[in-house]
Amino acid sequence: MMRRIVIALLLGLAATGGSLAAQSSQFGVRGLGIPIRPLSPRSMAAGGALGIFDLESSVNPAATASIIQFTALFTNTQNFRNSTNPFGNASGYDSRFPQMLVSGPVGGTNLAAAISVSGYTDRSFALGTQDTIDLRGSPVGVSDTLSSRGGLSDIRLAAAWRVSPAFHVGLGLHAITGSTRFENRRDFADSSYAPVIERSEISYLGLGVSTGFTWRPARRVTVAGTYRNDGHVSIDRDSTRIAKTDLPVSYGAGVRWQPTEKLMWAASFRRRGCGGSDRDIRNQDGIGAIDSYEVATGFEVLRDPKNPGHRPLRFGVHFATLPFPVQVGVRPSEFGLSAGTGIRFTQGRGGIDVSVQQIFRSSTGGYTERATVVSLGISVRP
């Protein structure tokens, strides 16, 4: 079983190349970038509230215990956004693969295991300025562009144990890795001057651990909790160690209630202690970091309780603060509305889930962003 899991994951990595994190945003310029939520399209459609219970998301390792057969999930996200700041506005589009997961039960035991690759943060952006400088006694117009491509990914190995039909526990080991490629380019209005280009590559490596549980105290009620410590990440520039940055200690909790066979409601809360990296980021000439949190709630309405994954209706809402301010002392935030559905075919062995999110990000000082995010997940249960 584990051999099948590893092979499926490696095939997925080969198919997606280096596009694991490409959610460009002006709110990803500072610190380690903008956080990426490690959720399946099903959980995204419910505002993220189902993530702590969802075996196809990488939030709670204990959720893996509910798997009953080998499952592989590959997710693609299309992001359409419009960004506004005091210097103007711009539209953009990009594609990414934020969540890939393979999991399955370990035959003859109460154990289940999963391997996933998720986005952790994204730091893809391009900034441009124009100025006039004096060269050899004459004014010359210059255009400066600073661009970055890349971010951090989270590779997780999770194991979960079914202590009883109502109580599951799990443990996850995380490798935080990735890189960003920076290019600083200056172009001159006078063509007699050649462009000046400076390039560098920043790479990251860190290790973390997570644990969690799910508990069903009543037939229609389930609660869950998680704790995660990501330690620190080592930062190299062109293969030379330049810094270490503490990563957050985070925890979360959630509740799921199913009052009828056709209706499910969930709510969740998550806090990330990103303020622990504030001193490290300031020492690297950044403007710091702050603790962040996220609250989410959502519903799932089943058309056919006997086939719950076929054409359900899902919708939700979430609100989050972002950990890396655009300006000193200003806390950016994010608000999102979401909806989605899914279908199952070939006797439930294949499935497609889709979600659509409308996300609004803002920060004092005229920084706003509106994004439409469409996520498509393909799951296979051979």
Side-chain angles (χ1 to χ4, degrees):
M1 174 59 68
M2 288 305 299
R3 182 180 179 184
R4 294 168 63 190
I5 289 176
V6 172
I7 291 174
L9 180 65
L10 293 176
L11 288 175
L13 288 173
T16 56
S19 301
L20 290 176
Q23 186 183 6
S24 304
S25 168
Q26 65 178 348
F27 291 95
V29 174
R30 300 292 191 178
L32 297 175
I34 190 169
I36 298 177
R37 305 162 82 201
L39 302 175
S40 69
R42 179 193 178 215
S43 296
M44 288 281 194
L50 288 175
I52 198 169
F53 304 98
D54 183 20
L55 60 90
E56 293 183 346
S57 298
S58 299
V59 176
N60 184 359
T64 305
S66 58
I67 191 75
I68 59 174
Q69 66 183 111
F70 175 82
T71 299
L73 171 73
F74 301 93
T75 302
N76 173 260
T77 295
Q78 308 295 322
N79 179 16
F80 308 85
R81 68 191 177 280
N82 183 273
S83 305
T84 302
N85 58 49
F87 308 99
N89 62 77
S91 298
Y93 159 80
D94 50 61
S95 175
R96 62 186 176 92
F97 297 87
Q99 174 76 351
M100 298 186 295
L101 177 144
V102 289
S103 63
V106 178
T109 72
N110 289 335
L111 186 67
I115 300 176
S116 64
V117 180
S118 310
Y120 190 79
T121 64
D122 176 70
R123 205 180 180 195
S124 297
F125 61 85
L127 303 174
T129 60
Q130 292 183 329
D131 199 1
T132 300
I133 63 174
D134 186 77
L135 289 176
R136 299 177 181 177
S138 300
V140 178
V142 296
S143 298
D144 293 323
T145 304
L146 174 64
S147 61
S148 170
R149 294 291 180 269
L152 277 70
S153 297
D154 177 11
I155 304 173
R156 185 194 73 164
L157 172 62
W161 183 262
R162 293 181 292 275
V163 179
S164 72
F167 185 64
H168 302 159
V169 295
L171 177 70
L173 301 178
H174 301 259
I176 313 298
T177 183
S179 64
T180 53
R181 293 175 175 85
F182 286 91
E183 179 179 287
N184 193 6
R185 179 186 179 100
R186 168 164 285 186
D187 292 291
F188 298 87
D190 186 341
S191 59
S192 61
Y193 294 98
V196 178
I197 302 175
E198 180 185 16
R199 295 187 177 95
S200 63
E201 181 174 348
I202 308 296
S203 57
Y204 308 87
L205 181 62
L207 298 174
V209 62
S210 63
T211 186
F213 74 90
T214 62
W215 176 45
R216 192 175 68 249
R219 187 167 67 94
R220 298 187 181 277
V221 177
T222 305
V223 296
T226 62
Y227 172 85
R228 176 169 173 172
N229 189 335
D230 287 329
H232 66 266
V233 63
S234 299
I235 304 175
D236 294 346
R237 177 187 291 131
D238 298 329
S239 303
T240 301
R241 181 64 45 83
I242 60 171
K244 287 185 177 180
T245 299
D246 286 339
L247 293 177
V249 173
S250 60
Y251 58 85
V255 59
R256 183 178 64 192
W257 177 45
Q258 191 167 359
T260 70
E261 288 187 344
K262 291 189 174 183
L263 177 63
M264 178 188 299
W265 168 79
S268 67
F269 169 83
R270 187 184 184 195
R271 183 185 183 277
R272 293 163 56 95
C274 298
S277 63
D278 180 75
R279 177 180 297 179
D280 294 331
I281 291 177
R282 289 179 184 272
N283 289 340
Q284 299 165 39
D285 297 324
I287 64 171
I290 53 179
D291 292 344
S292 64
Y293 68 90
E294 176 185 312
V295 290
T297 185
F299 293 86
E300 183 176 66
V301 181
L302 305 182
R303 296 176 182 265
D304 180 6
K306 295 181 180 179
N307 190 3
H310 191 67
R311 296 191 300 158
L313 298 177
R314 303 166 182 143
F315 49 96
V317 60
H318 79 274
F319 175 82
T321 57
L322 302 179
F324 305 111
V326 180
Q327 298 172 298
V328 178
V330 176
R331 183 185 295 271
S333 62
E334 173 181 292
F335 173 76
L337 301 170
S338 54
T341 186
I343 59 172
R344 293 293 179 268
F345 43 84
T346 61
Q347 299 179 339
R349 298 192 177 199
I352 296 176
D353 290 286
V354 63
S355 71
V356 180
Q357 301 176 78
Q358 193 67 51
I359 295 177
F360 306 87
R361 301 184 181 105
S362 62
S363 176
T364 344
Y367 292 85
T368 62
E369 192 166 80
R370 178 174 178 174
T372 300
V373 182
V374 182
S375 299
L376 179 70
I378 299 175
S379 57
V380 179
R381 296 173 176 84

